């Protein structure tokens, strides 16, 4: 085509027009596959034209694979073959059109270069210019950019489109002879499209924009709608009537269209109407002619379109709303509302469930306040209160339920409803006031009418719509319910949280979250996450949400949902006001038992009718409580935790703790004989009780939580600082004052009547605590103040323990009072009657009595009381006597059943005691399984009764005379009769307990008691790491750990002992090293641990084929014992080193090591590790120097070659340690002297080794390596010449043959 000459101007115009036509066809194929079946007549014409333009050769080439003849498909071809043939023809047609375009473009490029005229080239677009070039250029490439995914590209394309078409239209309107332009134009704009006043390019653009709206390619609909709206709003010559006809004709849905094609055309019409509504064309039409029928026609078209498919309804309504926003009220009343089918559409909305009709009615009523009957969608006359009434919400329930069709998106009706339900003004007022307008006492509060209406409407909406319609339906509608609740949250006042989080909502949440496989599980989780974020910085909201969740779940929300939702919410209070409000709400829930749940389950029950105050001593099991009591138990447990995680100042925290304390004390300790309300004029407060009697279980829970609250307050005080005030933020002091005031009210009495002994102890504690508090204030910041403070809190805990377990602690209380009197010997503390204090020289030491008293309270005490005992022990442990310490250690070593074959006659024998100190002689095990597992936590002890009645046992124990005795003796301070009495008493108690509840319970109780005593020992070791008594504690703990009878069946006990030994003894910075630590005490310990380190692993003989689990457990225990022995040896040697004993005294220590090494080299039973010995010589070189000669002998005389090689390693390690210490002149002299002394032995050893080389290659290599190391060290100390001189000639010969260059280097 490029080789042809330049043709005439008219021929060029014809080619350009043909090029534009072909380009349009290709764009239609790529951009809009759905537009081709819409214009059947144009398709036939184009097919005829395209067929004529396709070369016969191309058709022939592409149809050879389909048909054997080049004349086309035969009539006899079946349907499949015809379909294939049509596809081939389509490909040929597209390819030929593309070639035609390219050829035409090439031809026009050549013509434009040769042509000297002023005609413009339009290769990139279509030229509508006449022969004189009057009309401006319009580039059709902008249509491609209108479909781009980038919004900025689409906007730029729309601007360019409008700009060019406006210029074309202005030029067209100025032409005198428009017919000539129309005749010469071959664009697809037709004479009967109604756009007679528009330029051909404009007519083409309008038609193409409308057709492009049906394309699903990228963002074609958005871009073409933007272009159409922009064009209609700027070019006034486009007639509205013609445009409506074009939309219907170009986007007509025919019966032979498939589903996707029909959907694309419907969406195209929707976008076309949306562009028309946005362009303000309708408003301009009404302004020019207020009687125009086009607005009604437009509205009817949208209503008809909405009726075709449900997915078109919401967008059609949005288009109508877009239109009426630009129309005055007269146009809406006379045209929109009077449109054909409009009224019928509203009337049938409630029957079919049409949420879009409801949305349109609400928006129109909200904007224009019309006096129009919208069927049953809106009440007549309209008002918000009438709309949100229960009756009307029930009428429109079907419309709201059907809004789930647009899932997962929320339908537009819901934000509109919520805006009407919760106006911004009411929310702002509530937020600004900072007060909750409607709370638990809302009946007595004055609220304005707007807030009342809002709450009433919200309640109706929640009950009828959310709970009645959505929650009772499908999963989709349940999801919609939670979506609606999330929309409510941003505007929801804190006072209305209880309305929204109702019983049914909370129950639905629990049902979903209790099953992770539920389809709605993630929906519920997301709702809780949004709820948590909504209340993150608002404690008022936090209070209402926690109360709602727990109230409607009977305190089981976290339990049922297996989450920590409520726990996390409670731990994040940020203000004092929020905490106090929360406590008030909890108290209200506890007292208002009729409102525990709006819709209680069938299992709910009232308080226990059979419970009588003070009639039952044992704690009632919580599993027997009804749902109301379970909620109350949660309330009781929650009160101490409110202030636990607070980050407030001390005053605010004390205020919060004080409010919780008053409630727990009133409900747990007291009852009223005159009604349920009592006023204290001294405190200026009124106290209330529930109408029905509180069960004993709940009263005991109150006392336990009161103990926990006091323990938390004591821990949170930090270093005690006495403040001279009335209460000085001392919660214990306030409690005792509060207790005394309430006991003085005539109509108030203790909830449990106390026996005479308990009553006496109760009063003693009150009086003693009062005097101790005075002493504490007078002590200032001294150490005595801390002791007094700890004793006061222990007395308070003991007083509550008397109420919790009557009849069990009065003796301990009397003894503790005596200890307080003797410790702080003021005559004002207590006037003793004399019977409580033993007189004479036989009176026990004060600290022994205090230790015995604390031990007697440990077995059956609660965790807070144990914490108070530990605090007292912390401040008094530096004064503890050896007898008191020994009593604690005897508890740790006590076994429930003694080892079998135990020889009582040998108990005092020194040798047998040493052999069995660490439990080295294992008792034969029974084939029967041992009793069961112990509890995992020492918190589970509240149900214990008489594990070890230490108060009864220790009361019978005489105190030792204090004469000096062996530190390792188990019976220090007690003779045989006393020990027998104690053992017999303990055995009797254990036997009684075993007969009552089984051996497992007795064993578990003993283990728990030991764990508690271990806590005290840990405190002692922490406070007194350098005292000589640490050796006693260490020896007993190690013996307990090694004895399988004392730790078997309790992994927790073993791990606890192991942890204490490792952390508090071996790794402690301080250790016993004063003059009281004597070498004769350490030597036996060293010998025993060396035996333990060499002890072989023995398989149990009780089972022929033990399981792998048991074998693994035995092996792990053996490794732990071996590690304990090695660490113990290192620790003992560290103590010996710190004392700087003379060499003569250290000889026995070396002898002990030498004896252990003799066994190591001569017996296969010794399993001592060579690495352990090497580490010992490395840490303590003086031991290696003493054993050097012995090891040189053993290197050649050991019974096995393996031991000989290990001896070489030990000798090498000793030589290394001597070499490393040679930097110091004095140490170098000592090392050189040692080597010189043992040089003959060393020469003999070298000769023996090289003359008797081992058979194995690895061991021969070890010998050569050893000899090389020895030669190197000899050179360092300049002893090589002496060595060679001492070495015999036979040794020289053997060294030269076996060592070669190594020995020759030494000789040189």
């Amino acid at each position: 085509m490029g080789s042809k000459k330049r043709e005439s101007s008219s021929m060029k115009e014809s080619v350009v027009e043909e090029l534009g036509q072909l380009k349009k066809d290709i764009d239609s194929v790529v951009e809009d596959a759905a537009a081709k079946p819409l214009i059947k007549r144009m398709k036939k014409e184009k097919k005829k034209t395209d067929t004529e333009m396709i070369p016969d050769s191309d058709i022939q080439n592409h149809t050879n694979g389909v048909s054997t003849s080049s004349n086309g498909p035969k009539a006899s071809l079946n349907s499949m073959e015809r379909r294939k043939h049509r596809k081939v023809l389509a490909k040929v047609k597209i390819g030929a059109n593309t070639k035609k375009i390219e050829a035409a473009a090439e031809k026009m490029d050549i013509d434009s270069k040769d042509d000297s005229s002023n005609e413009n080239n339009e290769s990139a677009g279509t030229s509508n210019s006449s022969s004189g070039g009057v009309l401006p250029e319009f580039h059709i490439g902008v249509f491609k950019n209108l479909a781009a995914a980038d919004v900025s590209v689409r906007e730029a394309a729309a601007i360019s489109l409008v700009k060019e078409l406006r210029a074309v239209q202005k030029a067209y309107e100025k032409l005198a002879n428009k017919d000539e332009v129309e005749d010469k134009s071959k664009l697809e704009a037709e004479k009967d499209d109604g756009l007679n006043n528009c330029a051909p390019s404009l007519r083409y653009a309008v038609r193409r924009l409308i057709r492009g709206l049906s394309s699903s390619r990228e963002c074609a609909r958005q871009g073409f709608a933007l272009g159409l709206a922009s064009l209609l709003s700027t070019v006034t010559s486009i007639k509205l009537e013609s445009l409506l006809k074009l939309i219907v004709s170009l986007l007509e849905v025919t019966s032979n269209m498939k589903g996707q094609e029909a959907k694309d055309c419907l969406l195209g019409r929707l976008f076309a109407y949306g562009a028309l509504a946005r362009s303000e064309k309708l408003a301009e039409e009404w302004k020019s002619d207020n009687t125009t029928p086009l607005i009604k026609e437009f509205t009817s078209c949208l209503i008809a379109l909405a009726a075709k498919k449900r997915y078109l309804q919401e967008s059609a309504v949005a288009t109508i709303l877009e239109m009426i926003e630009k129309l005055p009220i007269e146009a809406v009343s006379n045209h929109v509302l009077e449109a054909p089918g409009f009224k019928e559409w509203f009337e049938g909305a409630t029957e079919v469930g049409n949420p879009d009709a409801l949305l349109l009615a609400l928006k129109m009523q909200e904007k224009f306040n019309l006096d129009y009957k919208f069927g049953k969608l809106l009440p007549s006359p309209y008002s918000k209160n009438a709309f949100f009434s229960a009756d009307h919400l029930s009428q429109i329930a079907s419309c709201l339920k059907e809004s789930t069709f647009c899932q997962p998106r929320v339908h537009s009706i819901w934000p509109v409803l919520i805006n009407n339900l919760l106006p911004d003004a009411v929310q702002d007022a509530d937020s600004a006031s900072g007060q909750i307008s409607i709370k638990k006492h809302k009946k007595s509060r004055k609220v304005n009418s707007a807030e009342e209406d809002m709450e009433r409407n919200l309640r109706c909406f929640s009950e009828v719509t959310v709970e009645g319609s959505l929650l009772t339906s499908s999963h989709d509608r349940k999801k919609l319910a939670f979506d609606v609740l999330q929309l409510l949250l941003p505007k929801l006042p804190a006072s209305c949280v209880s309305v929204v989080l109702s019983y049914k909502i909370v129950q639905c949440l629990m049902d979903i979250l209790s099953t992770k496989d539920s389809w709605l599980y993630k929906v519920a989780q997301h709702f809780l996450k949004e709820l948590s974020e909504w209340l993150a910085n608002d404690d008022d909201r936090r209070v209402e949400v926690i109360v709602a969740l727990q109230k409607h779940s009977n305190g089981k929300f976290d339990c049922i949902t297996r989450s920590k939702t409520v726990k996390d919410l409670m731990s994040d209070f940020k203000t004092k006001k929020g905490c106090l409000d929360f406590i008030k709400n909890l108290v209200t829930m506890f007292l208002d038992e009729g409102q525990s749940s709006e819709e209680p389950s069938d299992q709910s029950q009232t308080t226990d009718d059979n419970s009588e105050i003070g009639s039952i001593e044992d704690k009632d099991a919580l599993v027997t409580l009804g749902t109301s009591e379970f909620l109350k138990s949660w309330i009781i447990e929650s009160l101490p935790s409110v202030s636990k995680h607070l980050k407030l100042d001390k005053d605010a925290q004390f205020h919060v703790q004080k409010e919780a304390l008053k409630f727990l004390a009133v409900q747990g300790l007291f009852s009223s004989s005159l009604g349920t309300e009592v006023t204290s004029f001294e405190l200026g407060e009124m106290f209330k009780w529930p109408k029905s009697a509180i069960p004993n279980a709940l009263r005991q829970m109150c006392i336990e939580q009161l103990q926990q609250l006091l323990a938390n307050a004591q821990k949170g005080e930090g270093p005690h600082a006495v403040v001279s005030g009335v209460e000085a933020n001392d919660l214990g002091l306030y409690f005792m004052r509060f207790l005394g005031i309430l006991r003085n009210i005539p109509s108030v009495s203790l909830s449990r009547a106390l026996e005479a002994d308990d009553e006496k102890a109760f009063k003693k504690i009150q009086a003693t605590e009062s005097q101790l508090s005075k002493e504490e204030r007078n002590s200032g910041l001294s150490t005595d103040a801390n002791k007094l403070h700890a004793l006061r809190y222990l007395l308070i805990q003991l007083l509550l323990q008397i109420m919790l377990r009557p009849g069990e602690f009065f003796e301990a209380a009397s003894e503790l009072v005596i200890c307080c009197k003797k410790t702080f010997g003021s005559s004002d503390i207590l006037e003793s009657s004399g019977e409580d204090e033993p007189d004479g020289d036989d009176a026990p030491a004060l600290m022994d009595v205090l230790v015995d008293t604390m031990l007697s309270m440990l077995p059956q005490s609660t965790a807070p009381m144990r914490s108070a005992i530990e605090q007292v022990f912390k401040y008094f442990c530096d004064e503890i006597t050896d007898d008191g310490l020994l009593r604690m250690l005897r508890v740790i070593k006590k076994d429930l059943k003694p080892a079998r074959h135990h020889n009582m006659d040998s108990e005092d024998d020194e040798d047998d005691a040493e052999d069995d100190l660490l439990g080295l002689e294992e008792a034969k095990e029974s084939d029967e399984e041992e009793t069961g597992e112990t509890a995992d936590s020492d918190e589970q002890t509240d149900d214990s009764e008489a594990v070890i009645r230490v108060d009864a046992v220790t009361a019978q124990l005489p105190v030792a005379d204090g004469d000096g005795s062996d530190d390792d003796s188990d019976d220090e301070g007690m003779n045989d009769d006393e020990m027998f009495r104690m053992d017999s008493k303990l055995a009797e108690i254990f036997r009684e307990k075993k007969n009552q509840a089984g051996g497992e319970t007795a064993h578990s109780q003993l283990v728990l008691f030991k764990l508690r005593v271990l806590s005290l020992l840990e405190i002692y070791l922490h406070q007194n790491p350098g005292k000589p008594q640490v050796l006693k504690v260490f020896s007993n703990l190690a013996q307990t750990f090694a004895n399988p009878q004392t730790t078997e069946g309790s992994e927790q006990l073993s791990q606890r002992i192991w942890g204490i030994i490792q952390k508090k003894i071996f790794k402690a910075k301080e250790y016993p090293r004063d003059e009281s630590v004597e070498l004769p005490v350490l030597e036996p310990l060293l010998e025993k641990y060396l035996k333990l380190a060499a002890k072989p692993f023995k398989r149990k003989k009780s089972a022929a084929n033990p399981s792998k689990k048991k074998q693994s457990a035995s092996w792990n225990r053996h490794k732990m014992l071996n590690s304990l022995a090695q660490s113990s040896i290192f620790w003992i040697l560290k103590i010996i080193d710190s004392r700087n004993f003379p060499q003569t005294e250290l000889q026995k220590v070396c002898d002990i090591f030498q004896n252990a090494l003799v066994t190591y080299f001569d017996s296969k039973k010794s399993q001592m590790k060579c690495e352990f010995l090497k580490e010992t010589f490395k840490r303590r070189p003086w031991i290696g120097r003493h054993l050097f000669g012995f090891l040189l002998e053993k290197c050649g005389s050991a019974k096995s070659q393996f031991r000989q090689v290990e001896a070489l390693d030990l000798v090498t390690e000793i030589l290394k340690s001597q070499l490393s210490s040679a930097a110091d002149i004095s140490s170098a002299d000592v090392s050189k002297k040692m080597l010189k002394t043992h040089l003959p032995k060393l020469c003999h050893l070298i000769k023996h080794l090289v003359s008797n080389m081992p058979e194995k290659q690895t061991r021969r290599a070890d010998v050569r390596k050893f000899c090389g190391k020895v030669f190197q060290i000899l050179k360092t100390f300049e002893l090589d010449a002496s060595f060679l001189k001492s070495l015999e000639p036979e040794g020289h010969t053997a060294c030269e043959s076996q060592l070669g260059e190594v020995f020759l280097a030494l000789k040189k």
Side-chain angles (χ1 to χ4, degrees), residues 5 67 287 316 381 538 554 592 865 921 944 956 1035 1203 1302:
K5 297 182 179 180
S67 175
K287 290 178 182 178
D538 192 327
N554 288 302
D592 192 10
M865 185 171 178
E921 298 294 329
S944 60
Q956 303 176 14
S1035 176
R1203 293 298 190 192
V1302 176

Side-chain angles (χ1 to χ4, degrees), residues 626-674:
T627 53
S628 176
E629 280 71 21
F630 198 96
L631 176 61
K632 289 182 178 180
S633 69
W634 171 79
I635 293 172
I636 295 169
E637 291 174 349
S638 300
L639 284 169
S641 63
V642 175
S643 60
K644 189 174 182 180
H645 304 286
L646 274 181
K647 297 179 181 179
L648 302 177
D649 58 88
K650 295 294 183 181
D651 292 336
Q653 195 162 5
F654 176 71
H655 196 179
V656 173
Q657 291 172 339
K658 191 166 64 173
E659 292 300 316
L661 181 143
K662 287 189 288 188
F663 169 79
L664 293 173
V666 168
Q667 306 302 327
L669 298 176
F670 298 101
S671 61
S672 173
S673 59
L674 299 177

Side-chain angles (χ1 to χ4, degrees), residues 657-698:
Q657 291 172 339
K658 191 166 64 173
E659 292 300 316
L661 181 143
K662 287 189 288 188
F663 169 79
L664 293 173
V666 168
Q667 306 302 327
L669 298 176
F670 298 101
S671 61
S672 173
S673 59
L674 299 177
T676 60
E677 296 183 359
V678 171
T679 301
S680 170
F681 295 103
E682 186 173 352
L683 295 173
E685 294 184 58
M686 177 184 290
F687 303 103
K688 297 182 180 180
W689 286 266
K691 295 181 181 179
S692 58
I694 303 176
N696 270 355
L698 293 182

Side-chain angles (χ1 to χ4, degrees), residues 41-74:
R41 178 170 53 81
M42 295 178 60
K43 182 177 179 181
K44 291 179 180 179
E45 294 177 358
K46 288 188 290 180
K47 182 177 181 182
K48 181 179 178 181
T49 305
D50 293 338
T51 305
E52 293 174 354
M53 291 187 295
I54 299 174
D56 293 340
S57 60
D58 291 344
I59 298 177
Q60 178 67 30
N61 292 335
H62 286 86
T63 56
N64 283 337
V66 179
S67 175
T68 58
S69 174
S70 61
N71 296 328
K74 298 180 180 180

